[in-house]
Amino acid sequence: MGSRIYLYCSDTLLYFDREVKRRRAEEANLWNEPQDVSHTERDDDRELYNLLQKRLRTRRGSEGYCRLSFDISAHRQIRKDVKDRWRSLLENLGFHNEADSLLTVTSNHSYNSIGDPTEARRLLNLLAQETSIFEQHNLPPPERYLFVLRSVSADDEDEEALMVFVMERPLIVLDMGTEFVSIARQFYPPETLDSNKKQSVGLGTAVLVSPGQQKVENGEDKEEDECVEVDEESFLVNLIE
């Protein structure tokens, strides 16, 4: 009996440990197609995933490992820049406290949760065609932002029901989705961003820390990044096994 309880507890701890590592990996990589756990359906996700896999097979601390880390950081920075633009627009709409929650998209999200997927996709395509909010215009817009644009049907008289949705999981209703596209056109007009203000990073650029970490000199953030990297690698090793 005791051995069964031990095995049950051990399996439970392994499950939660795996979930924590998975979430850390998803937060670090910001997969553009979060539902694709193989990370092979989109060219940009597949490229990042292949770099991560290649780094797994490279000796830590070697020149090749450092170069791969630079490329991985560049890919991630592009995704962070896009996410930061979305955050600024959400905050402009009044979602100061809810922006982080709205922008947290994981593989656990389901397309069934999108109230009107046709309208959400139409808005996403408008953003891709009529704004510069996304980095890579030669690729389809990231699917992850469909979940940010997910909508609920609510009449003006049904404010109480709408507030329940907002409190449980902040959502942009259709009218606000249209307004989001409108302000995106103003803040990020197509192909006219000032290159000095646009904080985009080309692939292959060595960017190892985010702007918020550059001010830290005691090494604590660097150590935390290394821990996340180790967790991510051990998670990917488990997937391979």
Side-chain angles (χ1 to χ4, degrees):
M1 182 66 177
S3 61
R4 290 182 180 178
I5 295 176
Y6 173 78
L7 289 174
Y8 175 78
C9 292
S10 178
D11 290 343
T12 302
L13 290 174
L14 286 173
Y15 170 78
F16 282 112
D17 181 63
R18 185 182 179 88
E19 282 297 295
V20 168
K21 291 175 180 178
R22 178 183 62 79
R23 291 179 183 179
R24 286 181 177 178
E26 290 181 344
E27 289 174 3
N29 296 312
L30 297 173
W31 300 111
N32 286 325
E33 175 48 272
Q35 292 292 301
D36 174 27
V37 295
S38 69
H39 312 305
T40 58
E41 293 182 6
R42 284 182 60 101
D43 291 342
D44 48 359
D45 279 356
R46 182 170 59 255
E47 186 174 356
L48 174 56
Y49 181 73
N50 287 339
L51 287 171
L52 291 167
Q53 293 293 306
K54 189 174 182 180
R55 189 173 68 174
L56 277 176
R57 299 186 293 270
T58 305
R59 181 174 58 84
R60 179 181 290 273
S62 65
E63 182 179 353
Y65 187 95
C66 292
R67 288 178 178 175
L68 288 168
S69 294
F70 291 163
D71 290 341
I72 290 169
S73 295
H75 275 273
R76 288 173 171 173
Q77 189 63 45
I78 288 174
R79 295 158 191 248
K80 289 177 182 177
D81 289 343
V82 173
K83 183 178 179 181
D84 286 343
R85 294 189 193 112
W86 279 73
R87 178 183 287 105
S88 67
L89 294 180
L90 288 170
E91 290 176 349
N92 188 274
L93 281 173
F95 288 92
H96 297 279
N97 298 325
E98 299 85 0
D100 285 336
S101 177
L102 269 170
L103 291 168
T104 300
V105 179
T106 71
S107 56
N108 291 331
H109 284 79
S110 169
Y111 284 104
N112 293 330
S113 66
I114 303 176
D116 189 338
T118 301
E119 179 65 11
R121 190 171 295 280
R122 185 186 72 83
L123 294 173
L124 187 66
N125 288 333
L126 280 177
L127 288 168
Q129 297 165 8
E130 301 182 8
T131 77
S132 298
I133 196 170
F134 297 118
E135 287 279 356
Q136 298 164 300
H137 296 285
N138 58 324
L139 294 172
E143 289 283 297
R144 69 180 298 109
Y145 292 104
L146 275 179
F147 297 97
V148 183
L149 287 171
R150 68 157 103 179
S151 56
V152 294
S153 298
D155 297 327
D156 293 338
E157 299 176 355
D158 198 8
E159 294 182 1
E160 183 177 354
L162 177 57
M163 286 303 297
V164 170
F165 278 112
V166 170
M167 293 302 293
E168 290 181 354
R169 169 72 183 176
L171 307 175
I172 301 180
V173 297
L174 290 180
D175 289 344
M176 295 194 72
T178 302
E179 185 176 351
F180 183 92
V181 174
S182 177
I183 65 170
R185 291 192 185 103
Q186 299 175 32
F187 279 79
Y188 304 107
E191 307 299 331
T192 58
L193 286 178
D194 186 340
S195 59
N196 294 323
K197 294 181 180 180
K198 184 180 178 183
Q199 301 299 317
S200 63
V201 180
L203 297 183
T205 304
V207 179
L208 298 180
V209 294
S210 62
Q213 294 171 332
Q214 292 175 353
K215 299 180 181 179
V216 180
E217 298 179 356
N218 58 11
E220 292 180 359
D221 281 337
K222 181 179 179 180
E223 181 179 353
E224 181 179 350
D225 285 346
E226 289 177 352
C227 291
V228 171
E229 184 177 287
V230 171
D231 282 341
E232 179 184 35
E233 292 193 355
S234 61
F235 174 72
L236 288 172
V237 168
N238 288 335
L239 284 181
I240 294 173
E241 296 175 348

